[in-house]
Structure formats: C-alpha cells, structure tokens
Amino acid sequence: MRVVVALGGNALLQRGQTLNAENQRGNIRVAAIELAAVHAHHQLVIAHGNGPQVGLLALMDAAYAAVDPFPLDVLGAETVGMIGYMIEQELGNIIPVDDHIVTVLTQVLVDPQDPAFQHPSKPVGPVYEREGAERLRQEKGWSIAPDGKYFRRVVPSPLPQRIIEIEAIRMLVDHGIVVICAGGGGIPTAYDADGKLYGVEAVIDKDLASGLLARDLAADMLVMLTDVANLYENFGTPAQRAVQAAHPEALEKLNFAEGSMGPKVSAACQFARATGKPAAIGQLSDLGRILRGEAGTLIAMSVSGIQYCA
C-alpha cells in the first residue's frame, strides 16, 4: 500500500517546547520509530510542517540588520533541508541500510492573485503570550492570531496549484525509495510574464499540499498526524464529540478552525472524493493503529454520515 504521511508540528516540536536542534532531533527520533514500522510493510512517502522553524529563522534573520531579511520562500527552503536531513538520518538509523531515503526540495505553484494574500491565516514561528505578541505586532507589523491560549504570527497561505517536481518524486517512489517531500507545504513559487519561476512570500498549508501530493502519486491512503487522537465536533466545549469516521459530504457541514483542523479536513475530503481512497487524521503514537483502522478519524466515501466514538 502506498501511504503519504504528513507529520504535524508536534512530530518536530512539542507545544511550548524550546525550538532548538536537540529538542527537534529528539522528537524526530520518536517519529522515526513509527515511520519505520510503516516502511516495513508499506510504500512510504513523508511530508511535514515547518511553521515553527520558519518563524524562528525569520526572527533570527531580522535580528541582523546589516542586510535585508531573507524572504519566506527562501527560509522555507532552508528549513525543509534541515528537517529532511534529520528525518533521513534518524529514520536511516532504524530501517535496513540498503533502503534508501531522499529529501526533495519541492517547489509548489501558487496563484499570485489568491485571496489569501489579503487575509494572512497561516501560523508560523513560536507561540507567544498576549503581551509579547502585541509587542511584535507593533514593532514588526506582523499579523497576529490566537493559537489556543497563546498567540502566533500568521502569514498568507495560498492554495497549492501544482507540484513542480512531481515527476521526479513519482520516479523515486516507483523505485521503492522513501521520499521526504512537500516539506512545509512546499516552497511557494509562481511564473512571471516571461514564464520564469520566482519565489513567493507565503507559506503553503502542509496538509493541503500533502493532499495534492497524495492524489498525484495515486496513494492508497493519506494520513495527517497531529497532537490529538481524533477530530472533534465542537472541540473545546462541553459538547465536544470525537469523530470515529465520516463521509466527506457530512464532515464538510461541520465547522473546524481555519488555522488548525480546517485544512486537514479539506485535504482529507478532497483526497477521498477524488480518489475513492481513505484519508485519516490522528496522533503520531497511533500511526500503526490508524493504518489498521483501529484509531484516529477515518474519512472515506464508504462511510455513511458521521460516526462518533463511544
């Protein structure tokens, strides 16, 4: 079975944890154990987020005033190289030595006229208390939005249109190579009037890009990992209910936060509807059970309505 696994930010950095190389590598080492178990039985393609890493690099970049800061697309390319390196190394230390792993810096086309550029919504960087977030908003002109009880910087998140390197990725996957790609949603790019590619100042949602990737690779399953065991209707309220399985049409009638579960739900529904194959949302530690249909939330055309956990 060909499986695209999209690692959420918690696979790289726990909420509230200091963003340093040691913590990131430790979290990736834990994730690698789960990924190795999938690789043992399935054809594995890995995507991942990079929001905290991009935000940290932007802060570090801005602290050096001698030169202009690097744009977000360049910072994104830096982070996916760093994260891909760590995943390659930690996963490679577990799986058989003759099994190959390759990281592909993935350019993803976006529409420069996408309405997202007028409404920043994608969280990047670390979380802040309200006072710190407000200070950064005033000092740097950032857009700030709530993230649970904390606050984070938000940037434009245009929809992914096409993966530039998809043919190369498909060739690698067809030859049995574990591919790490579409990191951070891919590096946002567009064509100018002369047909030349250029980088775009934005961050693409990694779940929507992972869904596009899974469709293009004719994957048998798309799995998006986060820090909760299931999707929840009315999350964070006394009326919350865990969703065990759902049909895309029924799931899309519910409301999910645009900055967190919303893109995961959209990606899952688009994949299930376009391919007839299942998608799932759950937590990293349940990855094996999610693939067996024993955990997480399943989104599939074969499900009738919405089924809730007991």
Side-chain angles (χ1 to χ4, degrees):
M1 185 165 71
R2 180 173 293 182
V3 182
V4 172
V5 175
L7 296 173
N10 64 301
L12 306 174
L13 185 75
Q14 300 297 319
R15 188 174 292 271
Q17 191 177 38
T18 301
L19 206 173
N20 56 37
E22 181 181 1
N23 287 337
Q24 184 167 284
R25 184 175 287 277
N27 291 325
I28 288 174
R29 188 173 294 126
V30 172
I33 296 172
E34 300 294 331
L35 293 170
V38 175
H39 169 67
H41 302 285
H42 304 288
Q43 198 172 52
L44 176 64
V45 181
I46 303 168
H48 60 80
N50 69 341
Q53 291 77 14
V54 166
L56 179 62
L57 280 186
L59 283 173
M60 297 168 69
D61 204 28
Y64 183 64
V67 298
D68 291 335
F70 279 86
L72 283 173
D73 60 298
V74 175
L75 298 181
E78 291 183 32
T79 61
V80 297
M82 171 185 66
I83 294 167
Y85 157 69
M86 289 188 175
I87 295 175
E88 280 192 38
Q89 197 167 77
E90 295 301 330
L91 182 57
N93 286 334
I94 301 174
I95 67 176
V97 68
D98 291 332
D99 292 0
H100 301 293
I101 311 169
V102 171
T103 298
V104 178
L105 287 178
T106 312
Q107 299 177 92
V108 176
L109 284 178
V110 300
D111 181 358
Q113 303 304 314
D114 192 303
F117 289 102
Q118 306 303 319
H119 304 283
S121 63
K122 182 63 179 173
V124 299
V127 296
Y128 303 99
E129 301 287 350
R130 181 186 294 273
E131 182 178 344
E134 180 60 24
R135 184 180 68 253
L136 289 168
R137 185 187 69 79
Q138 294 180 4
E139 290 177 356
K140 300 182 180 297
W142 287 357
S143 296
I144 299 292
D147 184 6
K149 65 178 182 178
Y150 298 100
F151 294 82
R152 291 178 73 185
R153 179 190 180 189
V154 290
V155 300
S157 183
L159 294 175
Q161 304 289 328
R162 181 165 67 86
I163 296 170
I164 298 292
E165 291 83 7
I166 190 61
E167 293 299 332
I169 293 169
R170 185 181 293 115
M171 181 173 61
L172 291 167
V173 174
D174 287 346
H175 282 78
I177 296 171
V178 177
V179 181
I180 304 165
C181 56
I187 304 162
T189 56
Y191 285 109
D192 64 18
D194 296 322
K196 304 295 185 182
L197 274 175
Y198 67 94
V200 176
E201 184 87 348
V203 173
I204 301 169
D205 183 86
K206 72 101 174 40
D207 294 307
L208 295 178
S210 298
L212 175 61
L213 174 70
R215 297 196 302 273
D216 285 349
L217 292 177
D220 297 296
M221 191 171 190
L222 168 65
V223 181
M224 290 166 285
L225 299 175
T226 182
D227 55 1
V228 293
N230 295 84
L231 276 177
Y232 287 87
E233 181 180 3
N234 301 316
F235 181 72
T237 73
Q240 78 172 27
R241 292 193 293 176
V243 177
Q244 183 178 58
H247 187 282
E249 185 175 338
L251 195 61
E252 288 172 334
K253 293 179 181 179
L254 304 181
N255 293 318
F256 296 96
E258 190 60 35
S260 56
M261 283 298 177
K264 290 179 174 60
V265 170
S266 294
C269 292
Q270 290 170 16
F271 176 77
R273 187 176 286 115
T275 67
K277 305 291 181 63
I281 299 170
Q283 59 188 4
L284 174 64
S285 59
D286 287 337
L287 179 54
R289 297 178 62 228
I290 290 171
L291 292 177
R292 297 191 297 271
E294 301 170 357
T297 297
L298 178 73
I299 299 94
M301 300 298 290
S302 59
V303 178
S304 178
I306 297 179
Q307 301 171 13
Y308 295 95
C309 295

